[in-house]
Amino acid sequence: MDFDVRLASYVSFISLTVYDRMSIQSALIGFLISRMLPVPLTPQEIIVVQTTAVATGTMPLAAGFVGIFPALTLISEERDGTPPIHLSWLSAVAWSCGVAFFGVFLSPPIRKQVIIEEQLTFPSGTATAQLISVLHKLPPPDTSVRQRFGYTQVSSEDGVRREDPHISSTADPDEVDAEWESEERMVVEHDGWRTLSWSFGASSTLTLFAFFFPVTFTIPLFGNHLAKEWLWYFTPSLSYVGQGIIMGFPTTLSMNLGMFVGWAILSPLSKFSGWAPGPVGDMTDGARGWILWTALGIMCADSFVSLLPVLIDYVVDSFSQRGQDSEVYQYETETEERLVPSPWVLGGLLTSIFVGTFLVWAVFGHDGIKPWATVLGFILGGMLSIFGVRALGETDLNPVSGLGKISQLVFAWVQPGNIVANIIAGGVTEAGAQQAGDLMQDLKTGHLLHASPRSQFYGQFIGSTVSILVTTTAFTLYNRAYVIPGPSFPAPTAYVWLSLARLLRDGKLPENSAAFMIIFSLFFGLLSTIKTITGRKRHWISQWIPSGVAFAIGFLNTPSFSIARLIGGCSEYLYRTRITKDRSDIWLIVVASGFVLGEGVVSIVSLVLEIAGVRAASCWGCGHGLCGGCPS
């Protein structure tokens, strides 16, 4: 199951900037497989399985395989003064070992602060705990932070609870909960495996068919001219549809609004005005590279605004606790033998920093990044992870992209003019924050259902270790078969990393892009402020205010990546509001899981066929030159 989740994660990450932790999917699949065993797994054992799977699936993003590595290959010796860096399999393993465990050892002390003392919500972790309790016929997990009204209520982007307008205000909440739990359990127990099988089969069959007939995933829906010249085509990937279901309607709507503004308005404007004279898809002097800067401004503004209240709360709480001799309330319910010992944590942190610094130096050399700068990257990652985890606990969003940009700003001053050092240091910082945040959701699930934190720690350690070899091997094979970044796997975050590093070094932007960057940054800074304020007040309007990060992702990816996800988002909204009446959407989650996992697994079959020299059976319909495996 870990292998399946990791494959689906890597294919998703390398194609898009938004990702899903797949904790609910892992719990579902773990439960279904468990029912086939002579002795089914207990809820606590399911949590450990799910924790291990998530730790495995997190590594492609945390270790930089979808952003840092592709960015290093895009470096130009003529422009940047250093040749592009292509890591061998062994070098990639060494780098992964260097950054794979810092976040794992960082999570136990952060758990004590944000889960035990502050009791933050962590909506996805709470949702997973609710689902597991339903499947095992347990009472809903007890939390004073959030009452249970069906786990669909915490699936939105910011965790805002959605009230059910179809239920009378006089209805007994316990009876409503019991009815919904019974429906969810019936769906999974009786139809879960069958639903997962047919959705997996449909997605895998379509993916394999698209390998032999590439036009399947590059349909010139708007005509060959718009497809070839402006990159407007349609990719009916069921994996994209499944991701849209999981992301939800508000997020996919934000993404498509950004896609329309970026590719239907700003792209033609920059092209016809002569600001981006090259081919539209060119990241250097084309419209795609021009609108990238507007997207970067939006992402930075949105991330800064979302982090600001967390930082203010942290500072206020720190000062308010000074000088107080009153008793500190302890909410820890676990015994010492079930917790991760402090010597393990301290020893692991110091060892991971020392070993990580040595391995980064061994891979990139002294000219790439100085050892003391790598140590600073780890320390900065530990500090920033606190803010990222707090934001995640309150909003269900881990603003690692913003944290990575902060680290790039710092290292533009620490090692000025060094593009490679800037990108690597940002990757080191982001790895710790990404890992600590994702693992904290699992620890929240375990806390609510009384799973052993030490057992979860073992699962996180094992998952991260296994993923080093699996992720590195998959990355190497994909690079042999495909051009990354390229048409099949655009890796948009690679351009963001490299472009910001160049901006911090040169201070030069494409013609007239600065004005649009400032205007959109100010607008989305204001919009994000309103969204943050209304979200903290649990106002319903918060989820309908466009997300700046999702809006910017619509700029970074070609329209084909956003349209299919909107179909999934619309399906989720209609199913939840028209069919299930805001009650249980567990069946749709199972379908989405099968869609995502099916394409992830069969993509390995396509990869093997590509390496073996097997080519498309027909290039019919590929006159626009965008079909992978067919001549341009």
Side-chain angles (χ1 to χ4, degrees):
M1 190 179 79
D2 293 348
F3 182 69
D4 199 359
V5 168
R6 203 225 53 77
L7 291 178
S9 299
Y10 184 71
V11 172
S12 173
F13 293 168
I14 202 70
S15 302
L16 190 65
T17 314
V18 163
Y19 78 101
D20 179 69
R21 297 176 58 255
M22 304 191 77
S23 55
I24 290 179
Q25 295 92 313
S26 299
L28 275 171
I29 297 171
F31 174 80
L32 291 172
I33 294 176
S34 169
R35 311 313 290 179
M36 302 170 62
L37 301 177
V39 179
L41 299 179
T42 66
Q44 290 72 30
E45 290 170 333
I46 290 291
I47 290 174
V48 174
V49 169
Q50 171 247 322
T51 300
T52 307
V54 169
T56 307
T58 297
M59 277 300 292
L61 186 59
F65 283 92
V66 301
I68 303 299
F69 285 7
L72 293 175
T73 65
L74 293 171
I75 292 175
S76 168
E77 185 170 10
E78 179 181 352
R79 182 175 179 181
D80 303 311
T82 184
I85 298 175
H86 299 270
L87 297 184
S88 65
W89 182 87
L90 188 60
S91 296
V93 168
W95 158 266
S96 301
C97 290
V99 299
F101 304 108
F102 180 67
V104 175
F105 287 104
L106 198 62
S107 58
I110 297 180
R111 169 190 176 273
K112 182 178 181 181
Q113 175 65 30
V114 299
I115 294 180
I116 305 303
E117 298 296 335
E118 298 182 33
Q119 300 186 55
L120 296 184
T121 308
F122 289 97
S124 288
T126 302
T128 305
Q130 293 167 348
L131 175 64
I132 293 174
S133 67
V134 166
L135 298 179
H136 288 86
K137 303 180 182 180
L138 299 175
D142 182 22
T143 169
S144 59
V145 179
R146 177 180 297 276
Q147 298 297 322
R148 187 184 192 284
F149 282 87
Y151 85 94
T152 55
Q153 270 59 39
V154 293
S155 65
S156 63
E157 179 186 349
D158 50 12
V160 177
R161 194 180 82 186
R162 297 189 286 265
E163 299 291 347
D164 188 349
H166 303 280
I167 295 178
S168 169
S169 59
T170 59
D172 186 348
D174 292 336
E175 293 180 0
V176 173
D177 283 351
E179 180 184 351
W180 289 5
E181 290 169 1
S182 177
E183 291 178 6
E184 292 176 345
R185 189 163 51 245
M186 288 285 290
V187 168
V188 175
E189 289 185 346
H190 295 284
D191 298 325
W193 192 254
R194 181 174 57 190
T195 301
L196 187 68
S197 298
W198 73 253
S199 58
F200 181 97
S203 180
S204 57
T205 301
L206 181 61
T207 303
L208 194 60
F209 182 83
F211 176 84
F212 291 104
F213 301 93
V215 73
T216 306
F217 277 0
T218 53
I219 299 175
L221 191 63
F222 310 98
N224 277 333
H225 175 73
L226 287 180
K228 184 176 183 178
E229 300 297 331
W230 298 97
L231 304 184
W232 278 86
Y233 57 92
F234 178 53
T235 301
S237 163
L238 290 181
S239 177
Y240 292 176
V241 174
Q243 291 165 21
I245 292 172
I246 295 166
M247 292 161 64
F249 180 62
T251 302
T252 56
L253 182 60
S254 296
M255 186 188 305
N256 277 267
L257 287 174
M259 177 269 291
F260 181 80
V261 172
W263 290 90
I265 299 177
L266 296 185
S267 174
L269 178 64
S270 64
K271 176 74 171 179
F272 293 135
S273 300
W275 305 333
V280 170
D282 194 293
M283 295 297 294
T284 303
D285 60 356
R288 187 174 188 180
W290 192 91
I291 65 175
L292 166 68
W293 295 102
T294 303
L296 183 59
I298 295 172
M299 293 176 70
C300 288
D302 187 82
S303 299
F304 175 77
V305 171
S306 65
L307 280 174
L308 190 60
V310 177
L311 176 61
I312 293 174
D313 287 348
Y314 188 80
V315 172
V316 171
D317 291 346
S318 299
F319 278 101
S320 64
Q321 293 174 3
R322 286 189 175 183
Q324 295 183 2
D325 297 327
S326 57
E327 179 183 358
V328 178
Y329 291 97
Q330 298 294 330
Y331 300 101
E332 183 62 81
T333 58
E334 300 293 346
T335 57
E336 287 295 328
E337 62 270 13
R338 286 165 58 89
L339 295 172
V340 181
S342 297
W344 292 15
V345 173
L346 181 60
L349 286 173
L350 294 177
T351 301
S352 60
I353 292 175
F354 176 79
V355 174
T357 301
F358 172 77
L359 290 175
V360 170
W361 173 81
V363 172
F364 295 102
H366 192 73
D367 294 333
I369 181 172
K370 293 177 171 51
W372 61 266
T374 305
V375 173
L376 179 60
F378 278 113
I379 296 174
L380 187 62
M383 295 171 59
L384 293 178
S385 65
I386 299 293
F387 305 126
V389 166
R390 286 182 63 117
L392 184 68
E394 293 178 359
T395 69
D396 211 28
L397 291 175
N398 193 349
V400 290
S401 61
L403 299 177
K405 305 304 173 287
I406 292 174
S407 67
Q408 284 190 276
L409 290 171
V410 171
F411 278 91
W413 173 71
V414 172
Q415 279 195 262
N418 192 327
I419 291 286
V420 175
N422 188 278
I423 294 175
I424 295 172
V428 170
T429 301
E430 188 183 58
Q434 175 72 55
Q435 226 177 0
D438 283 352
L439 301 184
M440 207 56 55
Q441 294 273 23
D442 301 322
L443 290 173
K444 177 68 174 184
T445 303
H447 175 69
L448 292 175
L449 294 181
H450 310 293
S452 166
R454 187 179 296 192
S455 296
Q456 287 187 272
F457 174 80
Y458 292 150
Q460 292 168 349
F461 195 90
I462 293 171
S464 298
T465 303
V466 170
S467 191
I468 290 173
L469 298 176
V470 178
T471 303
T472 304
T473 302
F475 173 79
T476 303
L477 292 175
Y478 270 95
N479 270 277
R480 288 182 182 178
Y482 302 97
V483 176
I484 301 177
S488 299
F489 301 101
T493 54
Y495 296 101
V496 175
W497 281 100
L498 181 59
S499 297
L500 182 57
R502 285 172 172 169
L503 173 63
L504 294 173
R505 181 197 62 186
D506 303 331
K508 183 180 179 181
L509 290 170
E511 183 180 0
N512 287 326
S513 62
F516 286 87
M517 190 175 180
I518 293 172
I519 292 172
F520 275 86
S521 297
L522 292 175
F523 177 75
F524 274 93
L526 176 62
L527 209 61
S528 182
T529 301
I530 299 173
K531 185 177 181 69
T532 300
I533 294 173
T534 55
R536 287 190 156 214
K537 293 181 179 180
R538 302 295 186 211
H539 198 284
W540 64 269
I541 200 174
S542 173
Q543 64 176 316
W544 296 110
I545 298 176
S547 161
V549 172
F551 189 90
I553 290 167
F555 283 53
L556 298 178
N557 292 288
T558 56
S560 63
F561 288 87
S562 300
I563 297 173
R565 288 176 173 87
L566 180 62
I567 294 174
C570 291
S571 301
E572 180 270 340
Y573 180 76
L574 292 174
Y575 184 85
R576 176 172 49 80
T577 58
R578 303 302 181 196
I579 298 178
T580 63
K581 307 296 184 182
D582 270 338
R583 298 171 93 177
S584 171
D585 61 356
I586 187 68
W587 179 84
L588 199 61
I589 293 295
V590 176
V591 172
S593 302
F595 284 166
V596 174
L597 296 174
E599 184 166 320
V601 171
V602 174
S603 65
I604 294 298
V605 178
S606 302
L607 176 65
V608 172
L609 294 175
E610 184 77 25
I611 295 175
V614 179
R615 295 293 177 254
S618 172
C619 289
W620 176 86
C622 294
H624 46 63
L626 299 172
C627 296
C630 290
S632 300

